[in-house]
Amino acid sequence: MELHTERLKLTPCTNKSLMTYSTNGYEPGPHIEMYLEELKKEASVLGWGVWLIVNKQTNEIIGDMGFKGKPDEEKSVEVGYGIESAQQNKGYATEALKSIIGWAFNTGSVNKIMAECLEDNAPSIRVLEKVNMIKIHKDEGMLYWQLYK
């Protein structure tokens, strides 16, 4: 399972995929280890967790994004993302997010995608606006977003 955009390849994070691509500059966070442990216990979370964002030209992992679990009973999922600092402000997050949003909606299991970010995180706000998410709530320095199919 892979998704392709003009400049990027998105592949679900597995131990194998982490070894397949160069991690030059990419530091896997603790969420990667947690997801890999969950994947060992329940293979059905593949696709509903972390996706690696790979630059097609360099074959390097430049960040990750994904869902914080499988769709709930309301057919909703929450998305999160991070691009390594040297690769930010190049449109990669927007390009990748559009791709996994499309994938999620096309599964038939998702009708709503949610996100959250700090209210002073201007780059994340721009990304969420560019993928047509709607700001629905603000609370204690956090902005909450959603997008319907």
Side-chain angles (χ1 to χ4, degrees), residues 1-2 10-21 23 26 28 31-40 42-54 61 63-65:
M1 171 182 355
E2 285 186 345
L10 283 81
T11 186
C13 182
T14 62
N15 285 315
K16 183 180 177 184
S17 64
L18 278 170
M19 293 187 294
T20 300
Y21 303 101
T23 57
Y26 171 74
H31 64 290
I32 299 287
E33 191 66 35
M34 288 173 22
Y35 172 68
L36 291 174
E37 285 300 315
E38 184 179 358
L39 191 56
K40 283 181 195 173
E42 188 181 349
S44 68
V45 299
L46 187 70
W48 298 112
V50 180
W51 291 69
L52 300 175
I53 304 169
V54 179
I61 300 170
D64 61 69
M65 70 173 37

Side-chain angles (χ1 to χ4, degrees), residues 56-76:
K56 284 182 178 178
Q57 196 170 36
T58 64
N59 222 31
E60 291 179 349
I61 300 170
I62 61 167
D64 61 69
M65 70 173 37
F67 304 102
K68 298 179 182 179
K70 296 192 294 188
D72 64 18
E73 59 281 344
E74 296 174 356
K75 292 185 140 189
S76 67

Side-chain angles (χ1 to χ4, degrees), residues 53 63-66 68 79-83 93-94 97 100 115-117 121 123-129 133:
I53 304 169
D64 61 69
M65 70 173 37
K68 298 179 182 179
V79 70
Y81 50 89
I83 303 289
T94 302
L97 189 55
I100 68 162
E116 63 184 32
C117 68
N121 188 341
S124 266
I125 292 168
R126 280 196 307 276
V127 169
L128 295 170
E129 289 173 341
M133 284 206 152

